[in-house]
Amino acid sequence: VAIKKINLQGLRKKELKVNEFMVMKMNKNSNLVNFLDSYLVDKQFWLVMEYMDGGTLSHVISKTYLSEDEMAAISRE
């Protein structure tokens, strides 16, 4: 598993994190990293997800150039 720790203290965009949690919880798809569980630990919100080797999509796209066709293929999946 992978655990994403979200510090709730001082978080300005809490609604975005809540939205992320709700989307993950409601959507099950073989092409997405699936939500497994969540916990509130002290002032952190822990999201427990399936582990996916290779890092986050945001990390990949910040380091790699994708053509429009590649972006469309990823989005379609």
Side-chain angles (χ1 to χ4, degrees), residues 15-57:
E15 62 275 357
L16 292 176
K17 295 302 178 184
V18 170
N19 186 44
E20 177 183 2
F21 165 70
M22 294 304 294
V23 168
M24 288 180 67
K25 186 175 181 177
M26 294 184 327
N27 293 293
K28 298 285 185 192
N29 186 301
S30 61
N31 295 321
L32 298 174
V33 174
N34 288 307
F35 164 84
L36 300 174
D37 210 343
S38 63
Y39 301 93
L40 188 58
V41 180
D42 295 323
K43 294 181 181 180
Q44 289 185 331
F45 182 63
W46 292 14
L47 287 177
V48 182
M49 305 170 280
E50 290 179 312
Y51 176 76
M52 181 177 179
D53 194 22
T56 65
L57 180 58

Side-chain angles (χ1 to χ4, degrees), residues 54-72:
T56 65
L57 180 58
S58 60
H59 178 74
V60 171
I61 63 174
S62 71
K63 303 292 181 193
T64 306
Y65 173 79
L66 297 174
S67 70
E68 188 174 334
D69 290 340
E70 291 169 322
M71 287 184 249

